Amino acid sequence: MKKDNRSYILLRYGLVIVFILWLAACIVVKLCETTVVDADKWNQRANELLSQTKEIIPGRGNILASDGSVLATNLNFYTARIDYRAEKFNEKLFRDTIDQLAARMAEHFPVKSAEQWKKHLLKPLDKVKEKRPRAYKLMSGLSHADMETLRTFPFFSIKNRNRNGLTFEKYMRRFNPYGDMARRSIGGVGETAESKEIHGISGLEKALDSLLYGKVGYSKMINLTKKITDWTDIPAIPGSDIVTTIDINMQDIVESELNNVLDTCGADWGVAVLMDVKNGDIKAISNLERNPRGPGYIEARNRAVMGYEPGSVVKTLSMMIAVEDGLVPDLNEVLPTGSGWAYAGGRPITDAHHSASIRAGDVLEQSSNIGMARIITRKYNDNPGAFYSRVKALGFLEPMNTGIAGEVPPRFDSVPNDRGGRIALSRMSYGYATEIPPLYTLAIYNAIANDGVFVRPRLVKEVKGAVDSVFPVGYMGNGRACSPQTAATLRQMLTNVVWGDHGTGRFLRNNTVRIAGKTGTCYMIENGAYNQGKKRLAFCGFFPAEEPKYSCVVLTCHPTKNFFGAATTSGQVLRNIALKLYSRGMLGNSSDYRSVTPSDAAPTFYASASGRKAYERVKSDFAIPSHRSLKSPSTVAKGTLPDVKGYGLREAIVALETAGYNVDYTGSGYVRSMEPAAGTRPARGTRVRLVLGN
């Protein structure tokens, strides 16, 4: 018996030894094949792997406001998913807690109701386990805080991810902390068709993409002692930060006032640009158009750098050239006008408010087409093309290179020296037969406000990167549009447009900030002809008139109600911007704002006796209504409804939504009343009803 057991054990040992020897032989054979027979093939594959390089995408630079506030940056966002086929997914607990989970989801992520969330979460469980999704999308666009909050919900709070199936995918997204503020000027990013890389597709993001994008890095695989691993060969260089000239507070004011007037007059679109007179810094730029998918206005194409027939605002350019070149030696010269002037046998030039004659010094004040054409043609009648050369010599036709994508220079035609050229010359002198971007128009007015110094508008003032670069103030042409004496003469003419007895901008008079500027009206071309039922209305000017700090241009397209004039639409935007800057102490004044100026009080900005005398001549009671006071936020107890009476709609919505309330509104203008009342304690999410009026 013992002998049989011993033989059986030896047999088993023998089989094991044979198996081990066979396995060892196989290993030796395979080793020989790998290291000797197939050595060249494996060496080639190893070399291919080690020679591969991968691109390392650099971090995109930030776009900053002038004070360092972030206008565009990169942020991490997350997509939440559920693996319903996770090995230990606790289906029973999931079903037991679904009502609580759905309620919490609806509370924190109200894109769906509790019932809708419950249906969404249970839907994959209708399938057999083998066919359930492994990456069921819960929601995207989650911040890090949202992700952490989601992990505290019933069922998702289970620490073992294999039991709740909850996973997160991280991705990078360009983020604008101020929403649509100056969105078109800042621009956007997207994938390129060629490489799927993220590059700028509009605005500053596109124009300065080479700086913002940075430099791509490269990595390769290297053979370490224990493994082959990824090794950074050339590190990526992050993109530079771009510091713009945008002032956040001024940008908010410009957008709010443009939106209010567009809404009041029912215009198709509008654009407004605010610029610092001394250095050409664009402090604010807004482009709004009617929302095609609902009420209100949204950020639109950047029309500030697109060419349009400017209308009468270009008369200021013509008059500046005329005064500078001595074509108007005597401002008291009387020019014949009458009901029309058929210059060069063309269609008669007419004035909206014609008279038998007009003083040369009053041409801008009364916006006389005939007067302006008579002045310009007296020199350029025999050589119309020379007018183009004169405009070009100013530097007015140069590219500005502001950094705004889509910028185009003005179109002034070098007309022939014939009858057609003379007719075109007369039209160009008062704003037709040419195309000028609003930003170029603003540059000329800014030069007049700046004693003739022709600074180049700029939107970028500094680049912060490996090597910091500061962009100096630039100049158009030779740096001067006209002499200081000519600039002073033009400033007085533009002041008379608002304060003169027959000025086309008399609507803009107020007792707080003196405004100087010029109105402009131009019919729109449709199907090759002027449509006299549609107008583009412009106002370009500067303030305060005697000591200009800011210049501004506003363009309003096709108003349909309430206001139909250049002063009452575009001019009103400029006036409201000036008043709000004053109310916030941004014009070098005290911010101790008074809603109504006493009738016997002298205006704030009059540097000369002539300025005071002009004011007394046109003194009126255009005091600012108290409901436009644009007061500072009232102090209210924490958790109570903030008082937004007197705010513009945009400011009111921001204040209320920040406090956790929803908003309904009727009317246009400024908030007159609100329900529930300010200072009460309605629950978060309560809908506040606002009544607006002017």
Side-chain angles (χ1 to χ4, degrees):
M1 187 69 176
K2 290 182 179 180
K3 185 177 181 180
D4 292 341
N5 287 339
R6 184 170 178 273
S7 299
Y8 179 70
I9 291 171
L10 290 174
L11 178 62
R12 293 175 62 187
Y13 273 120
L15 292 174
V16 170
I17 291 170
V18 169
F19 175 75
I20 292 173
L21 291 173
W22 174 81
L23 184 61
C26 290
I27 292 173
V28 171
V29 171
K30 192 67 178 177
L31 181 62
C32 291
E33 288 181 356
T34 302
T35 58
V36 179
V37 179
D38 296 331
D40 292 341
K41 182 182 71 174
W42 287 109
N43 287 335
Q44 182 180 356
R45 292 189 63 180
N47 290 333
E48 289 175 355
L49 181 63
L50 293 174
S51 63
Q52 287 180 358
T53 59
K54 297 180 181 178
E55 288 189 349
I56 303 174
I57 304 301
R60 192 171 181 84
N62 301 319
I63 297 179
L64 310 174
S66 59
D67 64 353
S69 301
V70 178
L71 297 176
T73 188
N74 298 315
L75 287 183
N76 289 325
F77 288 87
Y78 301 86
T79 297
R81 298 183 183 275
I82 300 178
D83 180 3
Y84 283 91
R85 289 160 58 188
E87 184 180 355
K88 296 183 179 181
F89 185 78
N90 195 332
E91 182 177 339
K92 182 180 183 304
L93 181 60
F94 182 69
R95 291 184 182 275
D96 290 343
T97 59
I98 189 63
D99 289 330
Q100 302 171 47
L101 176 58
R104 291 291 300 278
M105 292 292 294
E107 178 184 354
H108 287 271
F109 307 108
V111 290
K112 290 182 175 68
S113 66
E115 190 60 34
Q116 289 172 328
W117 273 119
K118 181 177 179 180
K119 182 178 179 181
H120 181 71
L121 290 164
L122 290 176
K123 184 178 179 181
L125 297 182
D126 294 339
K127 302 177 181 179
V128 296
K129 186 171 183 179
E130 291 73 18
K131 294 185 178 181
R132 291 173 184 172
R134 302 222 59 162
Y136 186 67
K137 185 176 178 180
L138 197 58
M139 60 189 310
S140 292
L142 298 174
S143 66
H144 183 80
D146 292 333
M147 179 181 69
E148 295 301 324
T149 299
L150 196 60
R151 283 175 168 158
T152 66
F153 289 1
F155 186 72
F156 291 155
S157 60
I158 298 174
K159 299 299 182 183
N160 190 340
R161 191 177 67 180
N162 205 25
R163 291 182 178 275
N164 61 26
L166 183 64
T167 61
F168 295 95
E169 295 177 1
K170 184 171 75 171
Y171 61 94
M172 189 77 73
R173 191 174 77 189
R174 199 67 168 166
F175 181 69
N176 300 93
Y178 288 93
D180 286 337
M181 181 175 287
R183 186 64 178 271
R184 289 291 176 176
S185 299
I186 295 168
V189 299
E191 289 186 352
T192 61
E194 297 80 9
S195 64
K196 302 300 182 183
E197 293 177 349
I198 302 298
H199 287 279
I201 57 176
S202 63
L204 284 176
E205 296 276 19
K206 179 179 180 180
L208 304 176
D209 184 71
S210 60
L211 295 173
L212 290 165
Y213 187 75
K215 292 186 178 180
V216 175
Y218 296 94
S219 67
K220 63 182 180 181
M221 305 301 291
I222 62 170
N223 189 8
L224 299 180
T225 304
K226 294 183 178 180
K227 63 179 180 179
I228 294 177
T229 189
D230 202 11
W231 180 268
T232 299
D233 193 23
I234 301 176
I237 300 176
S240 301
D241 290 344
I242 305 297
V243 182
T244 72
T245 58
I246 295 292
D247 182 292
I248 291 297
N249 294 320
M250 294 183 184
Q251 180 68 36
D252 183 57
I253 289 171
V254 169
E255 288 192 10
S256 177
E257 295 308 321
L258 179 62
N259 187 86
N260 287 342
V261 172
L262 292 180
D263 189 56
T264 300
C265 69
D268 288 345
W269 55 262
V271 56
V273 184
L274 181 70
M275 192 162 76
D276 189 299
V277 166
K278 295 301 180 185
N279 54 28
D281 284 357
I282 298 173
K283 310 305 292 183
I285 180 169
S286 180
N287 298 269
L288 299 177
E289 69 179 16
R290 195 188 301 276
N291 187 353
R293 300 178 185 85
Y297 290 84
I298 59 174
E299 270 288 323
R301 290 179 293 172
N302 208 327
R303 292 185 170 89
V305 293
M306 296 171 63
Y308 299 98
E309 278 190 321
S312 293
V313 287
V314 86
K315 288 174 184 169
T316 302
L317 171 62
S318 299
M319 182 61 78
M320 182 188 74
I321 291 173
V323 173
E324 182 76 358
D325 293 354
L327 306 187
V328 189
D330 182 7
L331 295 180
N332 291 316
E333 177 189 355
V334 177
L335 304 171
T337 53
S339 59
W341 182 43
Y343 171 68
R347 189 174 62 185
I349 302 171
T350 60
D351 286 336
H353 305 286
H354 67 267
S355 57
S357 60
I358 188 173
R359 284 180 64 251
D362 294 337
V363 166
L364 293 188
E365 178 182 339
Q366 299 182 38
S367 196
S368 173
N369 296 335
I370 299 173
M372 196 70 258
R374 282 190 177 277
I375 291 173
I376 290 297
T377 56
R378 63 173 49 169
K379 176 176 181 179
Y380 298 103
N381 178 69
D382 296 331
N383 186 11
F387 183 67
Y388 166 85
S389 300
R390 181 65 177 90
V391 172
K392 184 177 181 180
L394 289 173
F396 187 68
L397 306 182
E398 296 176 0
M400 285 186 173
N401 299 318
T402 57
I404 302 175
E407 176 188 301
V408 297
R411 180 184 65 80
F412 264 83
D413 293 333
S414 181
V415 295
N417 297 330
D418 56 16
R419 173 178 174 274
R422 291 196 294 275
I423 292 174
L425 167 68
S426 66
R427 271 49 173 180
M428 283 193 293
S429 70
Y430 58 84
Y432 282 81
T434 187
E435 292 180 350
I436 302 176
L439 195 57
Y440 277 82
T441 303
L442 178 61
I444 283 293
Y445 282 73
N446 193 85
I448 292 168
N450 197 20
D451 282 333
V453 179
F454 202 3
V455 295
R456 187 183 301 274
R458 64 174 184 171
L459 192 57
V460 177
K461 69 177 183 179
E462 187 177 356
V463 174
K464 293 184 176 181
V467 178
D468 292 351
S469 300
V470 177
F471 288 78
V473 176
Y475 300 90
M476 304 287 285
N478 64 5
R480 181 164 287 281
C482 64
S483 67
Q485 294 77 16
T486 297
T489 300
L490 267 293
R491 283 200 300 274
Q492 185 59 55
M493 289 183 178
L494 294 173
T495 300
N496 291 343
V497 171
V498 178
W499 294 92
D501 293 334
H502 304 288
T504 58
R506 297 191 303 277
F507 176 83
L508 305 178
R509 297 172 183 169
N510 69 89
N511 293 342
T512 307
V513 182
R514 275 173 72 86
I515 292 168
K518 180 73 184 75
T519 56
T521 302
C522 189
Y523 294 116
M524 297 173 61
I525 297 177
E526 291 185 349
N527 300 319
Y530 287 106
N531 183 344
Q532 298 194 7
K534 290 187 175 182
K535 300 177 182 178
R536 277 191 308 272
L537 305 168
F539 190 89
C540 192
F542 43 85
F543 55 88
E546 284 75 26
E547 300 175 22
K549 292 181 68 67
Y550 297 105
S551 58
C552 183
V553 64
V554 184
L555 204 60
T556 305
C557 180
H558 187 39
T560 58
K561 60 182 181 180
N562 296 326
F563 299 117
F564 300 93
T568 55
T569 55
S570 296
Q572 185 174 182
V573 174
L574 185 147
R575 182 190 66 184
N576 292 349
I577 290 170
L579 292 176
K580 191 175 280 189
L581 289 176
Y582 177 79
S583 74
R584 297 188 183 182
M586 295 181 179
L587 296 182
N589 61 294
S590 167
S591 60
D592 183 15
Y593 181 71
R594 297 293 185 265
S595 60
V596 180
T597 303
S599 59
D600 59 348
T604 306
F605 293 105
Y606 300 140
S608 63
S610 60
R612 182 182 295 277
K613 185 176 181 181
Y615 167 71
E616 293 297 334
R617 187 176 72 249
V618 296
K619 189 174 182 180
S620 63
D621 56 357
F622 276 82
I624 306 166
S626 59
H627 67 271
R628 291 190 177 208
S629 60
L630 302 173
K631 60 194 176 186
S632 300
S634 301
T635 302
V636 294
K638 186 176 181 180
T640 62
L641 190 65
D643 184 3
V644 297
K645 291 191 295 294
Y647 282 32
L649 177 60
R650 175 176 177 152
E651 295 169 312
I653 290 176
V654 170
L656 292 171
E657 289 186 347
T658 300
Y661 301 100
N662 298 317
V663 179
D664 282 336
Y665 69 93
T666 58
S668 61
Y670 297 81
V671 178
R672 302 296 302 276
S673 63
M674 56 187 292
E675 185 183 352
T680 57
R681 295 180 180 272
R684 287 176 64 87
T686 298
R687 193 161 292 278
V688 180
R689 290 173 292 280
L690 305 178
V691 177
L692 284 69
N694 289 310

